[in-house]
Amino acid sequence: MGQLAFLQMFILVAISIDANDNRRHVHVFRKGKRHQHSLAKIWIERNGQQCVEIAESELSAKDNEMIVAAINRHWESINDQVTKAFNGEKTVSINIEK
């Protein structure tokens, strides 16, 4: 599992076992919680092109909108980190603003 970014109280994560899914995506977890589950799954591409969409989410509409906007602004960096996570390489978490 590769931590990609910190955004307010959330952590964006790529999970290497997801490498064979049909679309690249990130999972959203809440910072500081142990034994937690993913609060959201967000597609970050479609057919290799930037396309950020909510796949599933337990978050509020406001939080979803904030996270999608932040991913869109930092898409290149996040997508590069997803590639590293899927290749088993070390990821470098970035702090992103809303």
Side-chain angles (χ1 to χ4, degrees):
M1 180 162 65
Q3 291 186 1
L4 310 176
F6 299 101
L7 173 63
Q8 292 189 348
M9 74 282 259
F10 301 110
I11 302 171
L12 306 182
V13 174
I15 301 174
S16 59
I17 59 172
D18 290 344
N20 294 323
D21 281 6
N22 60 345
R23 287 179 70 183
R24 283 180 169 229
H25 60 276
V26 297
H27 291 273
V28 179
F29 292 87
R30 193 168 306 277
K31 275 194 221 177
K33 299 287 184 180
R34 292 186 75 184
H35 308 292
Q36 58 185 334
H37 67 282
S38 174
L39 299 172
K41 177 179 178 177
I42 302 176
W43 302 119
I44 64 166
E45 63 79 41
R46 179 182 291 143
N47 299 322
Q49 300 298 312
Q50 181 175 345
C51 181
V52 182
E53 303 173 312
I54 303 293
E56 54 190 59
S57 179
E58 298 175 8
L59 300 171
S60 70
K62 184 177 178 178
D63 285 340
N64 285 331
E65 183 179 315
M66 174 195 57
I67 293 168
V68 166
I71 292 171
N72 272 313
R73 281 193 312 279
H74 299 278
W75 184 83
E76 243 181 78
S77 176
I78 290 170
N79 191 47
D80 289 345
Q81 293 301 310
V82 169
T83 298
K84 286 182 178 182
F86 286 175
N87 289 335
E89 300 172 27
K90 184 178 179 177
T91 59
V92 178
S93 298
I94 60 171
N95 286 312
I96 55 179
E97 298 176 10
K98 63 176 187 173

